Amino acid sequence: SQQGEEDPQALSIQEGENATMNCSYKTSINNLQWYRQNSGRGLVHLILIRSNEREKHSGRLRVTLDTSKKSSSLLITASRAADTASYFCATAANQAGTALIFGKGTTLSVSS
Amino acid sequence: KAGVTQTPRYLIKTRGQQVTLSCSPISGHRSVSWYQQTPGQGLQFLFEYFSETQRNKGNFPGRFSGRQFSNSRSEMNVSTLELGDSALYLCASKQGAPNYGYTFGSGTRLTVV
């Protein structure tokens, strides 16, 4: 069964706006990762946050993690048309940080 | 450096046949994982190999198998194909330490007819 569940399932915004996606998971984790996928191709790793971290930034991305609520959020600031993609959260529960469990993803559409 | 390479990109097979997919990880990456992606079930973990040993396995029937060679290249095999095996199969590799993300290949699109 899916570990992570993203919310919303779909999001449509204008260029320049911010996009926020949320992820919930069920069990304790080693880390949580966010990936982007364009049109059914391979996934691109965006950012990883460890279970003992609360917030992390990478360029226009900001990820938060609340282990007490078993939830995470991904914020993309100043969105661009090129950000149009599906975004997945994935959790790694084992010590090796492998065997990722993915959510069903949020489809983001950014229009110019 | 070169990314994760998966071959072939597209494959059409008939029910009952078997198929082998190949994956070449990033040089130096010893952990290789396979995932199945379908519209209905999403991304599901198949198995992970590390130093030629299967370290983790997802909840898939025994028809799905894999292996890893000494150069870290990996193959997965699906025997007695079913229509429901039609999917995008993704290979991913990472460094051995826990807190590194995966680099994914572009996938092999398998269609079973």
Side-chain angles (χ1 to χ4, degrees), chain A residues 3-70:
Chain A
Q3 163 83 303
E5 295 293 334
E6 285 91 342
D7 170 58
Q9 290 187 347
L11 183 59
S12 293
I13 59 174
Q14 299 284 323
E15 266 192 328
E17 295 181 334
N18 295 341
T20 300
M21 288 160 260
N22 302 297
C23 167
S24 61
Y25 57 92
K26 297 176 183 174
T27 63
S28 61
I29 61 172
N30 186 304
N31 64 58
L32 186 144
Q33 306 174 34
W34 286 89
Y35 288 84
R36 183 186 76 225
Q37 185 178 39
N38 291 84
S39 301
R41 303 193 62 177
L43 282 75
V44 174
H45 179 254
L46 296 175
I47 196 165
L48 179 151
I49 186 165
R50 303 180 189 196
S51 59
N52 62 353
E53 296 177 312
R54 292 298 167 258
E55 186 172 313
K56 201 162 183 180
H57 296 255
S58 177
R60 295 184 295 113
L61 306 179
R62 172 179 167 253
V63 169
T64 62
L65 179 64
D66 187 335
T67 53
S68 66
K69 295 181 179 178
K70 291 187 169 58

Side-chain angles (χ1 to χ4, degrees), chain A residues 31 35 37 40 42 98 100 104, chain B residues 35 37 40 48 88 99 102 105:
Chain A
N31 64 58
Y35 288 84
Q37 185 178 39
T98 59
L100 297 181
K104 288 202 178 279
Chain B
Y35 291 84
Q37 186 176 28
E48 182 228 350
L88 180 66
N99 289 303
Y102 275 100

Side-chain angles (χ1 to χ4, degrees), chain A residues 80-96:
Chain A
R80 307 165 181 167
D83 295 327
T84 295
S86 293
Y87 292 81
F88 296 90
C89 70
T91 51
N94 61 22
Q95 291 273 348

Side-chain angles (χ1 to χ4, degrees), chain B residues 5 14 17 19 28 41 43 45 49 57 61 65-66 72 85 101 107 110:
Chain B
T5 304
T14 304
Q17 288 186 314
V19 67
Q41 298 299 315
L43 281 152
F45 169 70
Y49 287 87
K57 189 177 192 304
S65 63
S72 291
D85 297 333
L110 171 65

